Structures are given as C-alpha cells and as structure tokens.
Amino acid sequence: MTVKLIKAGHIVAYQNGTHTHLRDGVIVVENDSITFVGKSFDGHADEIIDASDKIVTPGFINTHVHMSESPLDRSFVEDRGPRNFYLSGLFEFLTARDGAITDQARRASVAMSVPEMIRTGTTTVVEMGSHGDYVAEQCEKVGLRAYIGEMYRSGRWFTDDGRSVKYEWAEDDGRERMDHAVRFIEKLEGRANGLLKGFLTPAQVDTCSAALLQRTAEIGRDMKVPVALHVSQSVPEFQEMVRRNGCSPVEWLHQLGFLGENVLLGHVIMPTGSSWVNYHGNDLELLAETGTHVAHNVWVFARRGIAMESYSKYLAKGINMALGTDTCPQSMIEALRWTAVISKIQDRRTEVATAADVFNSATVGGAKSLGRDDLGRIAKGAKADLLFWAGRGLFMTPMRDPIRNIVYSATPEDLHSTMINGRMVMENRIIPGVDVEKLASDLQAGAQHMWEHMHVTDWGKRDIEQLSPSSFPEFRAL
C-alpha cells in the first residue's frame, strides 16, 4: 500500500452533500482512493506532494465523446449549417465525412483525443463509437478512466437531394451489432484495475426501432450498466418521430419504458416547448420523474447558432445535468464556460447557470449519470481523480473564488497536473509517453485523405471546397 499526502493551498472538498472550499488543507491517497480530507494529518505518508500554490479539484467527467471522429471536425464543420436541415450538420456533413474517413484516420483521431482530453480536465470519459478495442488500448496506455460503448442501430439516415432526410433499415434490426456491444462490455470487465468499463449505446432515437430500444433497456437493467442514446438533437429528427409516433421522441421513449435512472440521453436540446420545434408537451417533467440524465454538449450546437432553452431551466425542473464535449475541441474547460454563458444569454439573467452549477454538472452530475458515488468529488472513499490547477498566473490571478476562476478564466495552461486512480498521468503539463508531434502528423495525414474524398458519399458529389469553403481564397503567385 502506498500512501500519498497532498498539501494544497485550496481544495474543492465534498462535505455534507456539496462541494466546499477548504483552504490550506490536505488530502490523503492510499493506492487508488482518498482516505482522508481535512486541515491536517499526522499519520504516515510514503510520499508528500506539495501543492501549496495549487487549487485541487475533482476531475471532470466528460459524458459524451466520439473519439474516432471529433478531431476531424476541425477546419470542416465550422461556419456551416444547412438551412434545409434547420442548421444541423448531421445529415450532409456526417454522411460525407463518414464515407471519406479511413481506419487510419479514425485511429489517429482516437490517439490524439486521449491527451487532448487529459490536458483539458477530463479524468473520466464516456466514449461512443465503433473502435472500442483501440480506444481501450489508448486509454489504458495513458491511464484515462473510460466508459466505452460500441454503437449500434436499426438503420441509418441519409439524404439524396440535400432537402429531405431518408432512412435505410438493416435486415437484422441491428441485433448483430447489439450482441457485439454486449460481448464488448463483458470483455472489458476488470480490465486496467477497473479503469475501463462498458455500457450500452444505441445510436440515435430515430435510427433505432422500438424492439431494439426495449431490448436495450432490458439488457441494461439486467447487466446494471449505463445506457446512452442521442435524442432530440435536430428539428428533422423531432419531426420524423412525431410523424411516426404522434408524439415527441422523449414521450415515445417513455411509452417504451426506456427512460430511467441508468439512462443518459445525449442532447435533448429540442424537447417539447422549445421554440425550435413549436410542439407542446411535458418532456422535461418526464425526464425528471423518471430520473433520466441529460448529457449537455453546448458547443456542438452553439457554433451553429443553436442553444438549449435553457440549461438552468432543466436544472430547475430537477433533471440531473451532466456535461460533455461531443465535438472539437474536446475541452471540458470550454464546456463549463460555454454552458454557463449560453444559458445566461438564453435566460437574459446573470444569476443563473452559475459557476457552481456547471462545476456540479461536470463532477457530481456526471458521476450520478454513471451510477457512481465515488467519482466527481474529493471525499473519503472516493477515487483519487484530481486536477491540480496553478493558483497564480496570467489568467488565475487574483484568486478569491477558485470555481469562478476556473469556469470563467482558466485555460489548459492553468491545468498543471492530473491524478487518475491515485496515479499522476500528467505532471507539469506533460503526459509521459505522448508524442504530440507524431500524433498531429498522423491526424493531419488522415484528415488530408478525408478532405480529398468528401465527394465519394456526398449526395451532390461535392468536393471539400464546395461543402465547406475556406475562410479566404488561396494566395496566387503573380
């Protein structure tokens, strides 16, 4: 057993059901867990970590990630949002991108995602994709705590005219991929000293049949694992579900018996009552009553001019809100800030969506969504997943309230070190064994191939400059 004593100038400690501010305190870590938090400790310690000039907080739980593709959004999806799909990029941009991405590009994207998230505060990630084995390998190599799910669905969406969304259905209703996802969960059990766990993730509410979702809910309850699903993320999706079922996506899930305390819904940014869908209903009340969690991913929508109406109102309804990144940048620092600011703008109120609110969502809210009371907090019995922030610097001085400084002012440079499961995975902003130049080179090569082949699966056979024109024209030599 190894005992570490952390002496910190500021600790965001968990006490009596809330985060608190402990000045000049100590944290005792034995192996992978916290055994003591307080003002002083006179017991034995094998190692003393001097963080007297640091702010120590719980690590952030990033509840919505697609590692094998999100970095490839850069230089492509920004400033683009087709009005025919109510600004959503799902039906044109994702289709064109997915047909052009090679396996090499996806692996490069995963390899780059892991250090990007650690550098920006993520200590637990909820990954949804199709490269689970490679994700597990990369997370284990660096020491990132991860929930990994292999996505499955009954069919896929597409557009063949740029005006309407159509669906193509699999003969087996997605059962083969679902069986694979279940086997993957079983394969991960116990790996990396418990750092890696699996969960079920049917892809999208509009690409999954009632039978597939009901079977998912049943297996999720039997296996006692989280279930994640994309829901109410675009106007076309919402309208399609109303056309099929005569009710909202959330109402349909409730009728199926899908909602519940182990369910984490990605987005729900366009529920009933939203001005985007202009459809009356009680979606938020249903989520609150069933204990269903929401993973809010502010930036993927805000960059296109779409906003939740509003994050603070979901909290007021009693919904457990967690945060995720979904797209690039995969920065929980950015997720905290944009969630607070966009909600304030939506409500035209300053005192809502506070630093404390978004910090809670990134820590204890995320932990609750995964059924974990040992994550997202600095308390006896919790896992030692800790962030060490520089207390002094260009962006963190002066410092009275560490939470406000982190939410509204911090940059990745202010995150000095990270501990996950009692082990330092980053010290002085360096992640051992990570060659960023090599990772960047591999990702650039993968992106270049993708950009050159966008026309292959695009409905209009458009090249990258037609799909996403560059900000400025190329310089031409005279």
Side-chain angles (χ1 to χ4, degrees):
M1 180 177 68
T2 301
V3 179
K4 299 182 176 107
L5 175 63
I6 302 167
K7 297 182 177 181
H10 301 270
I11 298 171
V12 179
Y14 197 75
Q15 187 179 57
N16 299 325
T18 186
H19 291 304
T20 61
H21 184 184
L22 170 59
R23 300 173 188 267
D24 299 318
V26 298
I27 305 168
V28 178
V29 174
E30 294 185 14
N31 296 330
D32 62 355
S33 300
I34 297 167
T35 58
F36 178 82
V37 183
K39 290 293 289 184
S40 62
F41 178 75
D42 56 7
H44 166 76
D46 299 297
E47 179 183 351
I48 296 177
I49 298 173
D50 182 8
S52 55
D53 60 344
K54 303 288 190 304
I55 303 161
V56 182
T57 74
F60 298 142
I61 300 169
N62 189 340
T63 58
H64 194 108
V65 172
H66 304 290
M67 289 193 208
S68 68
E69 55 196 49
S70 287
L72 293 164
D73 284 348
R74 291 190 181 98
S75 285
F76 173 40
V77 302
E78 303 94 343
D79 294 337
R80 307 297 293 168
R83 68 174 186 173
N84 287 349
F85 300 120
Y86 298 84
L87 309 187
S88 175
L90 295 173
F91 311 105
E92 284 192 300
F93 285 79
L94 260 63
T95 301
R97 184 190 67 186
D98 289 350
I101 297 179
T102 63
D103 187 63
Q104 178 276 330
R106 289 194 180 277
R107 291 166 71 90
S109 185
V110 170
M112 182 66 96
S113 293
V114 172
E116 179 187 7
M117 286 188 287
I118 289 176
R119 283 290 285 113
T120 51
T122 292
T123 55
T124 298
V125 62
V126 179
E127 154 68 11
M128 294 162 278
S130 59
H131 284 61
D133 286 322
Y134 190 67
V135 170
E137 175 187 318
Q138 293 299 305
C139 290
E140 185 173 14
K141 182 173 74 173
V142 176
L144 179 62
R145 190 183 300 279
Y147 279 75
I148 307 170
E150 292 280 80
M151 291 178 70
Y152 54 91
R153 57 188 181 179
S154 303
R156 70 176 186 96
W157 63 57
F158 68 96
T159 181
D160 56 11
D161 57 10
R163 297 189 296 274
S164 58
V165 179
K166 298 178 174 64
Y167 293 83
E168 180 179 75
W169 303 101
E171 289 186 8
D172 74 341
D173 194 35
R175 289 298 294 267
E176 182 179 347
R177 281 291 300 173
M178 182 176 71
D179 291 342
H180 163 77
V182 171
R183 291 193 299 271
F184 183 76
I185 294 171
E186 295 168 342
K187 183 169 67 173
L188 276 186
E189 187 61 34
R191 182 169 169 180
N193 295 319
L195 278 177
L196 303 182
K197 293 184 179 295
F199 69 102
L200 292 170
T201 177
Q204 302 93 12
V205 68
D206 53 329
T207 61
C208 292
S209 69
L212 192 70
L213 291 176
Q214 288 173 322
R215 180 63 178 147
T216 294
E218 180 183 343
I219 294 173
R221 287 189 288 266
D222 289 345
M223 296 185 74
K224 295 181 172 56
V225 296
V227 175
L229 175 70
H230 294 73
V231 179
S232 298
Q233 62 177 330
S234 73
V235 174
E237 172 226 287
F238 192 100
Q239 293 175 336
E240 172 67 14
M241 298 307 289
V242 170
R243 184 192 67 78
R244 290 182 199 171
N245 307 302
C247 60
S248 76
V250 169
E251 290 170 340
W252 185 61
L253 292 174
H254 184 57
Q255 291 173 14
L256 295 180
F258 184 85
L259 303 180
E261 294 181 356
N262 70 323
V263 176
L264 176 61
L265 300 183
H267 307 311
V268 200
I269 199 167
M270 294 173 182
T272 55
S274 164
S275 66
W276 286 90
V277 297
N278 192 28
Y279 191 85
H280 177 69
N282 63 337
D283 282 1
L284 299 190
E285 287 79 6
L286 289 176
L287 296 177
E289 289 169 8
T290 57
T292 304
H293 317 278
V294 172
H296 181 39
N297 307 276
V298 61
W299 180 244
V300 70
F301 296 98
R303 71 181 178 198
R304 283 200 169 96
I306 302 169
M308 178 177 275
E309 300 170 346
S310 67
Y311 162 84
S312 68
K313 292 179 181 176
Y314 286 55
L315 288 180
K317 291 287 186 181
I319 299 169
N320 180 54
M321 299 295 288
L323 301 185
T325 54
D326 192 11
T327 185
C328 65
Q330 297 176 103
S331 168
M332 285 295 284
I333 300 172
E334 294 287 332
L336 289 160
R337 188 166 304 155
W338 281 105
T339 298
V341 171
I342 295 298
S343 185
K344 293 175 190 294
I345 292 171
Q346 286 295 303
D347 291 328
R348 298 189 180 186
R349 295 178 61 195
T350 307
E351 299 83 4
V352 298
T354 63
D357 288 336
V358 297
F359 189 86
N360 281 335
S361 290
T363 53
V364 291
K368 185 177 182 180
S369 75
L370 298 175
R372 300 287 296 264
D373 59 6
D374 61 344
L375 298 179
R377 67 207 70 198
I378 299 177
K380 182 178 179 180
K383 294 297 182 183
D385 293 1
L386 308 173
L387 303 178
F388 296 75
W389 303 83
R392 297 179 181 178
L394 287 174
F395 308 107
M396 294 289 277
T397 306
M399 205 284 291
R400 179 184 70 89
D401 183 335
I403 300 304
R404 289 184 188 173
N405 280 28
I406 289 169
V407 171
Y408 297 118
S409 297
T411 72
E413 286 305 304
D414 296 305
L415 181 55
H416 183 274
S417 300
T418 298
M419 175 182 286
I420 299 177
N421 223 36
R423 182 174 76 85
M424 284 294 191
V425 301
M426 180 176 76
E427 291 188 82
N428 196 17
R429 306 172 185 86
I430 296 174
I431 304 171
V434 172
D435 184 344
V436 175
E437 288 191 13
K438 174 65 165 58
L439 295 179
S441 177
D442 291 345
L443 185 60
Q444 184 68 31
Q448 196 65 47
H449 180 279
M450 181 186 74
W451 296 330
E452 292 170 357
H453 292 79
M454 281 290 175
H455 63 283
V456 174
T457 51
D458 175 62
W459 68 268
K461 303 303 178 186
R462 293 167 292 180
D463 63 25
I464 184 63
E465 282 300 319
Q466 292 172 301
L467 268 169
S468 181
S470 296
S471 298
F472 297 111
E474 290 279 347
F475 177 85
R476 298 186 182 278
L478 299 178

